[in-house]
Structures are given as structure tokens and as C-alpha cells.
Amino acid sequence: MTPAVNEGRGYPLRLLVLFAFALTLALIWLVLPLERGAAWALTIVGTLAACAMLAWRTRQLAHASAQNAQVLAALGTVISAIPDGMHTSMPLVLLTGDGLAALFDRDDTARLAWVGNGAIWLRVDEPNALPRLAAAVKQWRDGRAPDGVVLSVAPALHANADALAQKLRLVRQAMADASRLLGTRLPGYVAVYQRLAGRGPIALVTRDHVTDAPQWYGVASPTLLDGTSAFESAVRAAEGAVQETSRVRDAVARTARSAGIALIVDWTQRVVMGTLLDRQQPAAPWPLHGAGWIDCGPASGPDSPWEREVELRTKVAPAPIAASPLPWPLPQPLIESMPVQRQTAPRMAALGHALALLACAAAVAFWGTAKNNEVLLTKIDADLTRFRAIPSEHDAAKRDALASLVADRDQLDRYARTGVPLRLSFGMYHGAELIVPLNHAIASYAPPAPPPAVVTLDSMSLFDSGKAQLKAGSTRAMVGALEMIKAHAGKRILVAGHTDNVGDPASNLRLSVARAAAVRDWLVDASGLSTTQFAIQGYGDTRPIADNDTQEGRARNRRVEITLVPDAAKQAPSAQ
């Protein structure tokens, strides 16, 4: 099995981006109440954002795969004998710091990873590589981050305390960067490898045999440890373990071992933890979950920080101590109390995020459909209100409002027959309830009565006998005709004059024309209409409506008739 950094086994971010983009397009074009220009603008912005995120993710995966190929290939080689799936269930620990070659060079083979002691151990030679490798491990383990980071400290490998503090600060910064990159705080442990002064390892007697294997002393917890109290309990536990497990007859050796453990714990607290836990540093403090010490490590000489510490505290220069045989034991006891990760597999997390996106899209869709329905109902209500507010005398405006009602009713009928569109659905549509009031309003329209064909004015009330000038006060007789003309401003007006048969016919014809012109001029001034809308005609005595042999008949024949006719230009289409 050869692991690889790819999105197929990890979090499918690109697939999720495409899903979110599809949801966005559906909302923009099918649901949201947007103008066409705004919809296109949002579509372009969303497309550019999705393409940028896909390109960034693709580049990130390719870069991570290229950088971590060697380590991940080593992991694949090491765990090839492990059943499939165990790489996510076994604890995986990143080990950095001192003495990595002595810890990983097993079976005369240099290794980058090791499976043993109940965990997968991954070697991190450079502290700066810790964040990158932690992210690669998380991707390789289907979204499960490393279970912890162990810092190995071998005091004998450092020339002075300042150089050790500088390296500890680098590791602390790398740990903070890794936790920030992963989005979770990784548990941290410190393993100190130091040969204690004067003696070899204490022989431990079990029921079956005696073993000379070096033992770990320390403390570990699933929760964060407080430095001072944790180290005090570690010293007491270590001294007690030495007294209880040791069966050697040399009491001096036991006493020396207890004193050595107390010294190394105190030194670790002041020098190592003083740097890792100092809150004055810019990086986050080391998330301490455990610390352990073992009587194992490199050769110790008089120039190491530890030896100088012993000489300062005891006033006795310790003798040089030989290096422990390789390989050094891995700090397995430290991780036995490792906190259990409760992480969701990346594909399950992606499914949850997809459902969350779907829920957000549904919420936006509900809002959009509610808004669309509100706009529809508001428009129909406004059309109904406008139609009812227009008096029947204003027939042109009434008919325009009626056309809007008919369009609204036809739209609602179409929805009832073919189905409600998505932008109005989701249970928000109530337009069917408005069909009945629309039909009632449409049925309530009654066209106005047709205008009178002819308005007849008595010439004797307008003119003196034989005259064509309007008499004073005669305009009152034409007020009715004026109101009719204003109410039908789109009509043309024909003003015709008539006389009786008394007198010369030619004179009567000229008089009828002159009287029609006088009435026309007054109507033009009073109505404000153009002269081109009026026509005059004189008929003289040629069109009597009564018998000219009687006085009453001649009075009826002396008249001016005002007739409203449709404009010829407006009648042409209907005539055609």
C-alpha cells in the first residue's frame, strides 16, 4: 500500500465547491428575485470564485504530494504488513528533536517510520517540516490528524543551554503552526534521554526473570498538565518506582538513582519546560500532556549541560558515562494516556457540510420564494386598488386598469393549469385565492353609454333674427355640448347650421354657415381643442325637420346641430 496525498481519500473540497456553485446558480436563476443584469453579475462573480478555489486546491494538493512523497512512501513501506484500515485506528505519533537516528535506525536500516510498541512512529528531522508533515498525515489518514507530537531531548548532545533553548523555541513555533494548520491542538510530550550518573540501569525483577532494560519514569494525562504540580508528582512517582521495583542489594545505588531522577526532572522543568511553557514567547505554549525520563542516551561528558548541572548542584564532577546501546527505546509509556480523537472521517464531514450547504440554500430559497410571492400579491392588490379607484367616467384609464387585471388573472390561471414555477413554490404560493376577486372585478366593468349622436341648439336662443353673432348670455345654452365634447376628446366635432324657408335660399345658406362658424369658434376657445378637430357645414333650409308652414315648425327648423364623429385616422384599422 503506497499512500498519496489526494482528494479521493481525504476531504473532497473541490467536489464540495462544485456542489456549492451549482446551488448558487440554481438560486440565482430559479428562485431569487433578481433583475437579469444582477443575476448575470452574480453568476460571473461566482464562476470566478469557484474557478479560483478549484485552482488553488489543485495546486495545494500537487505541492503537498511533491513535498511529502518520500515520507509518505516510507510510511507505505513500513505499514505494508498492517491490515488495511489499521493506519487510521492505530495511534500515529510524530517524533522530533534529538537522537532520531538512535531511535529509528533499527535492524541496521535507517527508517523514516516505525510500527511498534502499539503505535506508528513518524520521524521528523527538521522542526520546520512538522506542520507540513502533520497536514500530509491528516490527508493520508482520511482526515484524522496525528495523535500527538513527542519531543526527544538528549542533554548530552548540546554544547550549552542557549543552543538547546534556541532549538526548543523552533520546535515550539513549529508545533503552534501545525496546530493552527490542522485546526486542532495536538497533544505534546517531552521524552528526556539521559544516562544517570555512576551506574548502569537498575535490574528489575519480575516473577520469571531479571531484566536490565531501562525503564521510563514520568507522568502523562489525557488533559493538559500544569508544569509545577505535574513535575512534583513525577518526582515522587519516579522515586517510589525506583524503591519498589529495585531488588538490588546496593542501597547506595538506589539512593543515587533517586537523586539522579530528581536532578534530571528539576533540570527539565527549569531548562526545557521554562522555554516550552513560557507565556512571554510569541508562539503558543507547548500543549504538555506528558513528560518522561529514561536512563538511556548518548555518552555524557563533562561539557554537556546536564553534567555541568550535576556538578553545580552536587559539587561533584560526575564521571564520563558511555552511550546506551542502539536502538534507544521509543517513549511508548508516554502515549498510553493519549487523549482519544473524536474526529469525523473527511467524507462524512464533507457530507455534513454538503447538508449544511443544502440547508442554507433551502433557507435562501424559502426567503426568495416568500419575497417573490409578496411581490406578486402586492402587484395584484395594487392593480385591484387602482381599478376600483378610477371613476367610470374616465373610461380610458379604467380600460387600462382592466387590461392589467385580465393579465393578472390569466397568469394565475396558467399557474393553476400548468403548475406553479419554482420561484413561487415551496408552499409559499397563495395566488389561487386571488382568482375569484379578480374575476369579480373584471365582471364589474361596465362600458360607458355611447355619446349622443347629435346635440341640437335652438338658433333663436343663440342669435338674433337674421344675425350670425352670438347673443349675450347665449353661451349657457352650449355648456352641455361643451361637457360632451370634453368627455369625448378623441372624437371629431361637426357643427352644422340650419334655417327655415323664409327668405332667399342663398341668403339662408350663407347665414347657416356663418352661425355654424360662430358656434365652432366659441367651442374651440372654451374647450382648448385644436381647430382641426372641428368641421362646419351650412345647409340653409334644405334639411327641415318640421313643416315650415307653421310657426312651430319653422322654429324647430332654425337650429345648430353638433355631431360627434370618430376620428377617421383612428377608425381606419377597425374599418379595415
Side-chain angles (χ1 to χ4, degrees):
M1 174 169 42
T2 302
V5 179
N6 60 76
E7 202 169 40
R9 294 181 58 181
Y11 188 86
L13 179 61
R14 291 179 291 189
L15 185 61
L16 207 63
V17 168
L18 293 176
F19 179 69
F21 180 61
L23 286 178
T24 302
L25 290 183
L27 290 174
I28 290 174
W29 290 101
L30 299 178
V31 177
L32 292 181
L34 298 173
E35 298 292 337
R36 192 171 185 84
W40 274 112
L42 289 177
T43 299
I44 293 173
V45 171
T47 302
L48 294 177
C51 291
M53 185 166 290
L54 290 174
W56 168 80
R57 181 60 172 172
T58 301
R59 183 176 180 181
Q60 182 191 45
L61 292 175
H63 182 68
S65 179
Q67 282 194 329
N68 302 312
Q70 181 183 5
V71 173
L72 295 178
L75 273 173
T77 302
V78 169
I79 67 171
S80 58
I82 299 178
D84 191 23
M86 291 292 290
H87 67 286
T88 59
S89 60
M90 289 185 66
L92 190 147
V93 183
L94 303 179
L95 186 54
T96 188
D98 301 331
L100 298 183
L103 291 168
F104 282 90
D105 292 353
R106 297 168 181 269
D107 303 330
D108 299 326
T109 303
R111 296 177 179 271
L112 295 176
W114 177 259
V115 178
N117 301 100
I120 302 173
W121 301 84
L122 179 60
R123 174 176 174 174
V124 184
D125 290 302
E126 296 295 331
N128 292 336
L130 184 62
R132 173 171 51 84
L133 291 180
V137 167
K138 181 178 180 179
Q139 189 75 23
W140 173 66
R141 300 178 80 202
D142 291 343
R144 182 179 175 184
D147 295 276
V149 177
V150 176
L151 170 63
S152 65
V153 179
L157 296 179
H158 297 276
N160 54 67
D162 292 338
L164 175 59
Q166 179 62 27
K167 184 172 183 177
L168 293 175
R169 282 190 286 268
L170 292 176
V171 175
R172 172 176 171 170
Q173 182 64 56
M175 182 68 159
D177 293 341
S179 297
R180 184 169 55 253
L181 181 62
L182 298 178
T184 183
R185 196 173 190 184
L186 297 176
Y189 303 86
V190 175
V192 180
Y193 290 86
Q194 175 60 49
R195 295 300 309 274
L196 300 180
R199 304 281 181 177
I202 296 178
L204 298 180
V205 177
T206 65
R207 294 182 180 179
D208 301 324
H209 59 279
V210 177
T211 176
D212 291 333
Q215 300 298 306
W216 283 97
Y217 306 101
V219 61
S221 171
T223 59
L224 280 175
L225 292 175
D226 175 67
T228 303
S229 60
F231 279 89
E232 291 177 355
S233 62
V235 171
R236 292 193 298 270
E239 292 176 345
V242 170
Q243 299 296 332
E244 291 177 6
T245 59
S246 181
R247 294 291 190 271
V248 295
R249 289 182 296 273
D250 189 351
V252 176
R254 289 199 303 270
T255 303
R257 184 60 51 86
S258 298
I261 291 176
L263 284 176
I264 192 63
V265 170
D266 181 68
W267 179 86
T268 303
Q269 183 177 5
R270 289 185 294 101
V271 177
V272 179
M273 295 304 169
T275 303
L276 294 179
L277 301 179
D278 182 12
R279 296 190 176 277
Q280 302 300 321
Q281 298 292 328
W286 184 265
L288 183 64
H289 281 258
W293 301 267
I294 189 171
D295 185 7
C296 176
S300 180
D303 295 330
S304 71
W306 161 249
E307 298 296 339
R308 288 197 294 271
E309 174 74 14
V310 172
E311 184 175 1
L312 178 64
R313 299 291 294 274
T314 64
K315 307 303 181 182
V316 177
I321 305 175
S324 300
L326 300 180
W328 298 350
L330 293 167
Q332 171 64 25
L334 289 182
I335 65 172
E336 290 177 354
S337 299
M338 183 174 290
V340 178
Q341 291 193 40
R342 292 180 175 86
Q343 293 184 349
T344 307
R347 279 162 287 188
M348 292 301 296
L351 178 61
H353 293 160
L355 293 177
L357 286 175
L358 197 60
C360 293
V364 174
F366 278 113
W367 174 85
T369 53
K371 194 69 175 178
N372 290 331
N373 278 279
E374 179 184 352
V375 171
L376 176 65
L377 297 181
T378 301
K379 177 184 179 301
I380 295 176
D381 183 68
D383 290 343
L384 282 169
T385 302
R386 182 167 68 95
F387 175 79
R388 291 163 179 162
I390 298 175
S392 58
E393 292 80 10
H394 300 161
D395 187 60
K398 194 80 169 179
R399 281 186 278 110
D400 288 341
L402 179 66
S404 298
L405 293 185
V406 172
D408 294 338
R409 193 269 315 276
D410 292 344
Q411 182 182 28
L412 298 183
D413 282 342
R414 185 170 62 255
Y415 292 161
R417 287 182 284 103
T418 62
V420 180
L422 187 64
R423 62 186 182 84
L424 297 173
S425 55
F426 295 103
M428 302 288 182
Y429 179 71
H430 298 286
E433 302 171 3
L434 296 176
I435 295 179
V436 172
L438 283 173
N439 285 331
H440 287 168
I442 293 171
S444 68
Y445 171 74
V454 178
V455 175
T456 302
L457 302 176
D458 182 9
S459 294
M460 298 307 294
S461 64
L462 300 177
F463 306 98
D464 291 328
S465 178
K467 304 293 184 180
Q469 290 80 28
L470 293 171
K471 295 191 300 183
S474 63
T475 57
R476 289 194 299 273
M478 293 186 289
V479 171
L482 180 62
E483 291 179 354
M484 179 189 69
I485 290 171
K486 288 183 176 180
H488 302 85
K491 305 287 185 178
R492 298 194 65 183
I493 303 100
L494 174 63
V495 183
H498 299 269
T499 66
D500 56 19
N501 62 352
V502 177
D504 179 55
S507 298
N508 288 338
L509 180 62
R510 288 193 296 272
L511 181 61
S512 64
V513 173
R515 287 178 171 178
V519 172
R520 185 270 316 272
D521 293 342
W522 184 88
L523 291 175
V524 168
D525 292 339
S527 66
L529 298 177
S530 173
T531 307
T532 58
Q533 285 189 250
F534 291 84
I536 61 174
Q537 182 68 51
Y539 292 100
D541 57 3
T542 60
R543 294 189 178 184
I545 58 174
D547 188 359
N548 280 313
D549 293 336
T550 64
Q551 186 177 354
E552 291 80 4
R554 289 191 296 273
R556 290 183 62 192
N557 289 333
R558 295 189 296 269
R559 67 195 188 277
V560 176
E561 294 178 343
I562 302 173
T563 304
L564 298 180
V565 295
D567 185 61
K570 292 185 177 180
Q571 283 219 338
S574 60
Q576 182 180 7

